[in-house]
Amino acid sequence: MNEQESQSEVKLKRLVESNFPENRFFWAKEWKRHGGSVVGVLCTYVPAEILVAAGIMPYRVSGKWSSQNQQALAMRSTNSSSYCNHLLQSLLDGDFDFLDGVVGTTIEQDFTRLWDLWVHLGKTKFNQIIHLPDHVSARTVKHFRGELSRLQTEIQSFTGMVISEEQLRQASVQLNLSRSLMLDVYQLRKKPSPPLTGAEMLGLAVASTLMPPELFNAELEELLPYLQQRHAPLTSTRPRLLVSGDYLDNLEQIKLIESLGCVVAMDDLDLGIRYYQGLVNLDMDPLTAIAERYMNRIGSARMIPWDAQVKQVVQWAREYDIDGVVDLTQRYSRAREIRRPFFLEGLRQNGIKTYGCETEYVLSHSEQFKTRIQAFLETLD
Amino acid sequence: MNFFEAEYAKAVRRVKRIRENPDPTKLQANLLLYDLDVELREHQLEAIKAGKPLCNAPRIPALNAAMGFQHIQIENEADRVTDAERYFDVVRAHGYPDYHCDRAVIGIGMILSGDVPRPTMTISFNSACDPIAHTGKAIGQLYSENYFCLDVDSVSDKADETVLSYITDQLGEWIEFAESRVPGIKYHEDRLVELTDMDRQAQECMREIYELRKLSPCPISGQDVFRLPRNPSEFPNPGKVVSYYQALRDEVGERAAKKIGAAGDEKVRIVWTITAPFFSNVFQRMESRGASIVHFQVGLAPRWFGNRGYYGDEHEFGRKLKPLEEQARFLARNSWGGLASRWVDDTMYFCRELRADGIVNFEQWGCVAAVLARKVMQDRVQKELGIPVLFVEGRNLEKSDFDVRKLELALDQFVTSCIDQKNRG
C-alpha cells in the first residue's frame, strides 16, 4: 500500500467510524464552535434540505451503544422500540445537550412519543414534528408538501431569516450530490470483490448524516477513485447477503455476520440504500420536489404498499447477485413485525433464501446471534 | 361455529339468562341493548350468508351503511372474544407478534382462522394508534378483496380546516373506489344524513348520561362506563337503538335522582384509562371498596362526551359541516392519535370535569399511544392535578400470562391510598 492509499484508508476509516461513540459528535460540535446551529433529526423522512437551506446542520441522533438504558426504560416501556429507548438514554445522559433543536416525523407512534418526551424534558428550544402520510398519492404528497412548508415557516421564525427558493435548490443540489456519490459506491458493491465490507458501507452511509453535506461530499469525492480499486478486507466474498432492517447504525451486527465468512453485499436499510435512493428534481418548485422525493422512495414497512417493497428487494437481490437475505427486525419495531410474514414469504416465493432474525439495537446475545446466522449461511452453500 | 354464530348464540343466552333471573342492581335498559345485539348478529349472519359486501372500517358505520356495506370494525369485535388464546395461536403460527395490542392483533387471527369472513373491503386508518393502523394494513393488503388506506394528520390539536378537507377528500376517493370495485355499492347521501342524525340523537343521550356521571354518587357502574357507545347506524334498526339510549338516559336519571350509585358509599372517584381486562370485572371489586369508576378515557371519549364536537356541532369549525365532513370530523383529533399532550390534556380534562380522585392507567401491552406517554402523564398530573396515578401493566384479552389477582391487589391498595389522600385533604 503506497502513501496515498494509506491516507485514503485513514480517511475512509474516519468516515466509517464517524458514528462510534467517541467520534459521533465531532462535526456537529465543530459546526457549533464556528457559530452554527445544529438540529437533531429523528427520522430519515425529515427533509435535511430545509435545514441545510437555513444554514443549520442536520444531525441524525443515535442511541447509546450500551446495554445500560434503565433510566429510559423507566420512562417508557420494555416493550417499545429498542432504538428509541437507547436514544432516550443518550438524551438523558446529556449527550445531546449541544443541540439547538429536534425535528421528527410521525413515522411511528413510538417515535412520536419519543419526540413528545424529548420536548417534555425541555432539552431543546426548537422542537418540530411533521405528519408523514403512510401512502403515496397526489393528495398525500400535496399534504406532505404543506407540512414541509409549515416546517420551513417554523425554521424561519427560529433563525430569523427567510429561506429562499434558491437556497432550497442549492441545498437540494448538495444533498443530491451526496446521494449520487453514495449511489456510485453502491454500484461498486456489485463487484465480485466489493471495495467495502457491509459494515464499512453502513459506517460510510451513516457518516453523511453526522456531517455537513459539503464536507461529506468533498471527502467522498476524494475517496471514490481509491474505492474503485480497493478490495474489502473480507475472509470470504461468498455467500453474498442482503441485510434488511431499520434504525441500524451500529456496525457490530453486520461485522458479526461478516466474521462468519460472507459479505453483506447489499442492504435494504433506512440509513442505507433507502436513504440515498432518488434525487430531488431541480426543475420544479423546490418544496414540491423535496416532498415528492421523500415520499416516492421505496418506503419503510410503515408505508404501503408492501408488495412494492418486496419487489424492490427482489430486484436488488438480482442486481447484486445475492445468495440470501437476512431480515434484522429490531424487537418492537411494530411496522416491520407486522409486515415480516408477508415480506419473508414474498422473497421466498421469488426464490430468495431468507432468514428472519429478531434483534435489538444493542446486541446483547451475540453468541446466539452468530449461531443463528451461521446456520443460515450453511443453507446457502 | 364462526365468530358471528358464536356471538349470536351468546347474545341469545344472555337475554334468556337476564329475563329468567333479572339483577335489580344492574341497568334494566341494557336488556334492550342485548335484544338489539341478538338482532344485529342475526342480521350479520344473514348478510354474510347472502354475500352482502362486508367492510372492515373505522368508526364510520353510517357511511358504510349509506354505501350498502355491512359494517364491521374488527377491533371492536375482538373486544368481545372470550377465547382469545386460539386466535393468538393462529397469529403466532403465521409469524405475527402476539404482543402488539391484543384487540388489534387478534383481528388477524380471527380472519385467518375463518371465524370472520375475509372482508370485501378494508379501510385502514391511522387516526387512533399504530397497532390498529398496522393490523389494518395487514388485513387490508393480505386478507381483504379490496383495500383503501386512509391517512389522517393528527399533529395539530386544533379544529383544522386543512386536515378536515384532507380527510373528507380521501373519503370521497374511497367512495369512488368502492363504487368502482364492488358491484352494487353506491353512495346515498340522503341515507348518510338520516343515519348520522340518529347517531347524533343517541350520542346526545350519552352526553346527558355523562353529565349525570358528574354527580356523587356516580349513578352508573364501572362496567357500564367501560361499555363503548355504539352507533345506531351499526344496527339493522337504528331507530330502536335511539330508543334504547333514551331509555338508558331516563333510567340513569332516575338512579341519579334517588342517589343510587354503583359504589354504594362513594368514597373516591376514579378515571380509568386505555383499556381493562375484558375477562374480569375489576370495577366491581373497586366499587365494593367505595370507588366509583366515573370515566373510561379512550381515543374517542372527547368526541363522545367532551370538548370536541359531535355530529351536528357547529362550534368546532364555526360552521355547519357537510355530510361527508361530519364523518371526516369523527376521524380527526382522536385522543390517542395525536401528540402526548393531547392524550394527557384530554385525560386531565375529564378528571377535572368529573372531580376524579385518582387515575388508573391500565397499560395494555403494545399500546404505544398511551403507555409511552406515561412520563408526560405522570409529571403533568402530579403538577397540575395532584392526584395519584396507578400505572399498571396488563392485557385485555390474553389471560395466560396475566395475573388478575395481582391487578386486583394493586387496585385495592390504590383505592385505599386515594381514600387516604382525599381524607388528608
Side-chain angles (χ1 to χ4, degrees), chain B residues 118-159:
Chain B
R118 294 198 173 208
T120 316
M121 172 77 69
T122 286
I123 306 175
S124 72
F125 61 105
N126 55 0
S127 53
C129 65
D130 268 5
I132 289 176
H134 294 326
T135 51
K137 286 172 188 169
I139 292 170
Q141 291 179 95
L142 310 179
Y143 312 121
S144 296
E145 290 170 32
N146 298 284
Y147 168 51
F148 189 87
C149 182
L150 190 66
D151 181 63
V152 177
D153 179 349
S154 291
V155 169
S156 169
D157 224 25
K158 298 186 181 55

Side-chain angles (χ1 to χ4, degrees), chain A residues 20-75:
Chain A
F20 282 22
E22 62 272 25
N23 300 329
R24 62 174 56 154
F25 307 120
F26 174 76
W27 285 283
K29 288 185 176 174
E30 273 295 291
W31 187 264
K32 291 249 359 180
R33 211 166 56 80
H34 288 101
S37 295
V38 180
V39 166
V41 167
L42 287 177
C43 171
T44 56
Y45 281 88
V46 172
E49 285 83 349
I50 304 178
L51 293 164
V52 170
I56 295 172
M57 181 185 149
Y59 176 83
R60 183 198 168 266
V61 289
S62 271
K64 207 109 190 146
W65 286 1
S66 144
S67 54
Q68 302 303 317
N69 63 349
Q70 298 312 312
Q71 210 186 347
L73 287 177
M75 292 187 184

Side-chain angles (χ1 to χ4, degrees), chain A residues 94-111:
Chain A
D95 294 347
F96 302 129
D97 285 354
F98 67 91
L99 288 175
D100 298 290
V102 68
V103 180
T105 74
T106 56
I107 185 165
E108 296 208 38
Q109 230 167 6
D110 210 318
F111 280 69

Side-chain angles (χ1 to χ4, degrees), chain A residues 192-217:
Chain A
S193 175
L196 296 167
T197 66
E200 287 172 333
M201 187 65 191
L202 177 59
L204 186 62
V206 173
S208 83
T209 68
L210 305 171
M211 303 167 64
E214 266 179 338
L215 182 57
F216 176 77
N217 293 345

Side-chain angles (χ1 to χ4, degrees), chain B residues 92-341:
Chain B
R92 291 175 199 121
H94 282 80
Y96 291 104
D98 61 359
Y99 43 80
H100 284 208
C101 170
D102 295 356
R103 69 190 297 260
V105 80
I106 68 159
I108 296 176
M110 290 166 80
I111 293 175
L112 281 173
S113 66
D115 277 4
V116 169
R118 294 198 173 208
T120 316
M121 172 77 69
T122 286
I123 306 175
S124 72
F125 61 105
N126 55 0
S127 53
C129 65
D130 268 5
I132 289 176
H134 294 326
T135 51
K137 286 172 188 169
I139 292 170
Q141 291 179 95
L142 310 179
Y143 312 121
S144 296
E145 290 170 32
N146 298 284
Y147 168 51
F148 189 87
C149 182
L150 190 66
D151 181 63
V152 177
D153 179 349
S154 291
V155 169
S156 169
D157 224 25
K158 298 186 181 55
D160 188 323
E161 289 278 0
T162 306
V163 170
L164 183 70
S165 68
Y166 182 55
I167 303 169
T168 308
D169 289 347
Q170 287 179 76
L171 288 177
E173 279 176 14
W174 173 68
I175 289 170
E176 280 175 23
F177 175 72
E179 285 178 343
S180 71
R181 297 291 286 258
V182 185
I185 289 299
K186 184 106 182 73
Y187 174 53
H188 298 280
E189 189 159 276
D190 49 349
R191 183 68 179 145
L192 176 64
V193 169
E194 189 188 351
L195 289 170
T196 304
D197 188 61
M198 282 196 260
D199 288 348
R200 182 194 57 74
Q201 288 177 52
Q203 199 56 36
E204 264 176 20
C205 296
M206 288 303 286
R207 284 195 173 216
E208 288 179 63
I209 294 171
Y210 168 77
E211 291 299 318
L212 294 171
R213 286 201 251 140
K214 292 178 181 176
L215 301 172
S216 199
C218 176
I220 61 173
S221 71
Q223 197 71 350
D224 285 312
V225 164
F226 187 55
R227 192 192 309 281
L228 299 179
R230 293 161 72 187
N231 298 61
S233 56
E234 291 174 48
F235 291 78
N237 285 300
K240 281 163 91 170
V241 183
V242 174
S243 301
Y244 152 67
Y245 277 107
Q246 287 163 347
L248 180 69
R249 174 208 52 205
D250 294 344
E251 187 179 350
V252 174
E254 281 169 22
R255 286 172 63 96
K258 292 174 186 168
K259 292 203 174 294
I260 298 170
D265 176 24
E266 181 183 281
K267 298 190 177 82
V268 284
R269 298 163 65 82
I270 304 295
V271 163
W272 188 286
T273 78
I274 309 175
T275 186
F278 290 125
F279 43 84
S280 171
N281 188 352
V282 293
F283 306 124
Q284 204 166 44
R285 191 182 172 94
M286 293 172 77
E287 284 155 356
S288 70
R289 283 155 175 77
S292 288
I293 315 306
V294 296
H295 181 67
F296 176 42
Q297 175 55 8
V298 289
L300 281 172
R303 284 248 174 248
W304 284 326
F305 310 113
N307 51 1
R308 270 170 220 145
Y310 198 75
Y311 294 135
D313 169 75
E314 294 183 24
H315 292 107
E316 186 177 6
F317 287 91
R319 64 178 180 88
K320 186 173 159 65
L321 297 190
K322 295 176 195 157
L324 214 51
E325 286 176 329
E326 288 281 18
Q327 301 299 309
R329 176 220 303 267
F330 221 76
L331 294 167
R333 300 170 77 203
N334 183 298
S335 196
W336 282 322
L339 304 179
S341 51

Side-chain angles (χ1 to χ4, degrees), chain A residues 8 14 135 178 257 332 345:
Chain A
S8 296
R14 195 171 168 209
H135 66 280
S178 304
I257 292 172
Y332 307 121
E345 185 53 32

